[in-house]
Amino acid sequence: MENPRYWRLKKQRYGLVGEVCPHCNSKIFPPRDVCPECGSEARTEYAFSGKGKVYSYTVMRDAPAGYEQNAPYTVAIVALDEGPMVTAQLTDLGEEPVQIGMPVEMVTRKLREDVEKKGILVYGYKFRPVMQG
Amino acid sequence: MSDIVIAGIGQIPVGEHYTIGLREMGVRALTAALHDCDDLKPDALYIGNLLSSMISHQSNLGALFTDYGRLDGVEAYTTEAAGASGAAALHQAYMAIRSGFVDTVAVLGVEKWSDLVRSEAEAAIMQEMDYDYESIPGLTSTGQAGLIMQRYLYEHDLPSDALNGFAILAHTNGRNNPYGLFKNLISSESYARTAMLSDPFNMYDGATYADGAAALILTRRELLPENFPHPIISITGSAASSDSLSWHDRHEPMAFTAAARAVSEAARQAGTLPGQVSLFELDDSFSIYAALTLEACGLADRGKAWQMARDGEFAINGRLPIMTMGGCLARGNPIGAKGVYQVVEAVTQLRGAAGASQVPNARTALILALGGPASSAIAHVLERE
């Protein structure tokens, strides 16, 4: 398991930290240091609110190695309120069916089992339906 | 008319080849292609492959296949563009000959898939997506196609079986392909009964990944042997384009812009239009890819390709035949070899050797291979003299 890789991405995985472009104010996730909108350098960190809406979703029934324990699980494209879209699992789904446009919010959950038996679980962002009331 | 021709084609059946490995598969296809062109001598070998380092624990395929394929000493290496790897190898071969550096090139697409259990193989092919931001959340390529299909159905207010015309057509055309994986017909009823893989995406909406190897021999027209036994098929267009690696990073996620760019550029080089070719071997790794490709290339209105597929517009005797030998959906998807199989099938059509799947009077073929959801797109146009 690639320890530096998971350490390096901890701000993104645990805090949904991207960047904001100091030139055109576009919000960027994941960070890429060059603004995809205006092409300028953009290295200013920006923590996203974690709020967004479901753009699309699917139910994963044929899970890859490391993810079988949760199968079937729902993966969505979430359009964050600040603009960018992210791919993430949905969690804490009750009886209510998932729908495109449904408001969701970020939570931190275990993403992957210790598939290589090296004692490392991967945690990161998932999204759950926004609690009503 | 270009002076670069496809002189030889070779392929092995797509399937689960438990008794032979990566090297035997590749050598068989290569040998068949060399035999098909009366043993022209290649100056170079370009290989399309995605997963050999993961599944077969084997890299440096150039050395492997020149050694085992008895092409001693020629330049050889792999090109990788996910599912468009085989098409990338062909594009590379075309550019190498046009540049003047070489005269005759072998192109080999080869993929060994069946050595791993399903979940491990799925974990391997996940790396064609954005590993940190798409794969780690637990998405696979099949799941991604489910996301895209869900959005398509939503935007156009369609029922979950709207795309069934593609799978039904592929299986109709694939019945007569001796190198294909599936020979069975399917109906809208059997489509409706099949298991969900990644809702709303069912088993017939995605091509089955499988082992495969296919090869081409390209050369200059003037180097063809006397009494060359086949109709002469030349490459008149070759173009590649790219788009965001992550599907979620697209401004217009349903646009398949790279597919449109590669196809229009290849057609422009060939002096034709995508709608004027005799057949279009598009990339139906997933039926939603076929629909979005047809719409991106202006061959169907947005949200209408599924209806045209149901209406028979893309059948062998339709307005624009696609997936003529069964496409990926019936032939199977040998991933990095896919783009070479598509060309072998198109050449078979243009030679008039496609048997019961023959497109009448086929003169020109458009071919498109995609890596991911049109993250990479490589198009070719072939023409029969």
Side-chain angles (χ1 to χ4, degrees), chain A residues 5 9 12-13 30 32 37 55-62 64-65 67-68 73 75 87 89 100 112 125, chain B residues 118-119 126 131-133 135-138 140 143 147 150-151 154 196-199 247-249 251 253:
Chain A
R5 180 174 198 154
L9 292 170
Q12 283 72 47
R13 292 256 163 78
R32 53 170 73 203
E37 302 300 328
Y55 174 83
S56 193
Y57 65 96
T58 190
V59 180
M60 293 291 307
R61 299 182 186 279
D62 216 357
Y67 297 83
E68 295 108 318
Y73 53 89
V75 175
T87 300
Q89 282 186 38
I100 289 176
R112 189 166 76 181
Y125 51 81
Chain B
R118 175 79 187 197
S119 64
M126 280 164 87
Y131 186 79
D132 284 333
Y133 293 102
S135 309
I136 284 290
T140 61
L147 287 170
Q150 181 90 277
R151 185 71 195 184
Y154 169 81
M196 283 290 168
L197 274 187
S198 195
D199 314 25
W247 186 61
H248 59 230
D249 279 340
H251 279 119

Side-chain angles (χ1 to χ4, degrees), chain B residues 11-17 177-183 208-214 327-328 330-335 337-338 341 345:
Chain B
Q11 60 185 328
I12 67 168
V14 171
E16 292 175 324
H17 292 290
N177 180 358
Y179 297 95
L181 187 59
F182 297 116
K183 309 294 193 322
T208 301
Y209 296 124
D211 301 340
C328 295
R331 178 226 304 124
N333 182 0
I335 312 168
K338 174 221 301 165
Y341 273 93
E345 290 161 5

Side-chain angles (χ1 to χ4, degrees), chain B residues 155-236:
Chain B
E155 289 190 0
H156 303 297
D157 194 21
L158 299 173
S160 63
D161 67 351
L163 292 165
N164 65 6
F166 292 102
I168 292 169
L169 172 60
H171 283 255
T172 301
N173 293 350
R175 259 177 321 172
N176 307 304
N177 180 358
Y179 297 95
L181 187 59
F182 297 116
K183 309 294 193 322
N184 60 311
L185 288 174
I186 63 171
S187 63
S188 52
E189 291 75 26
S190 54
Y191 177 94
R193 278 197 306 270
T194 198
M196 283 290 168
L197 274 187
S198 195
D199 314 25
F201 177 109
N202 76 26
M203 278 177 45
Y204 287 133
D205 289 317
T208 301
Y209 296 124
D211 301 340
L216 309 167
I217 310 298
L218 274 60
T219 194
R220 297 183 193 279
R221 196 188 183 303
E222 64 268 25
L223 298 178
L224 286 176
E226 280 184 43
N227 306 317
F228 181 69
H230 307 293
I232 295 172
I233 312 298
S234 61
I235 301 176
T236 52

Side-chain angles (χ1 to χ4, degrees), chain A residues 14-73:
Chain A
Y14 305 155
L16 217 58
V17 173
E19 292 165 333
V20 57
C21 176
H23 307 279
C24 74
N25 202 39
S26 288
K27 311 301 190 295
I28 303 161
F29 190 89
R32 53 170 73 203
D33 295 353
V34 174
C35 176
E37 302 300 328
C38 73
S40 305
E41 187 174 80
R43 293 169 175 268
T44 311
E45 282 193 353
Y46 178 88
F48 283 77
S49 67
K51 308 279 192 195
K53 291 188 171 63
V54 172
Y55 174 83
S56 193
Y57 65 96
T58 190
V59 180
M60 293 291 307
R61 299 182 186 279
D62 216 357
Y67 297 83
E68 295 108 318
Q69 286 189 347
N70 288 332
Y73 53 89

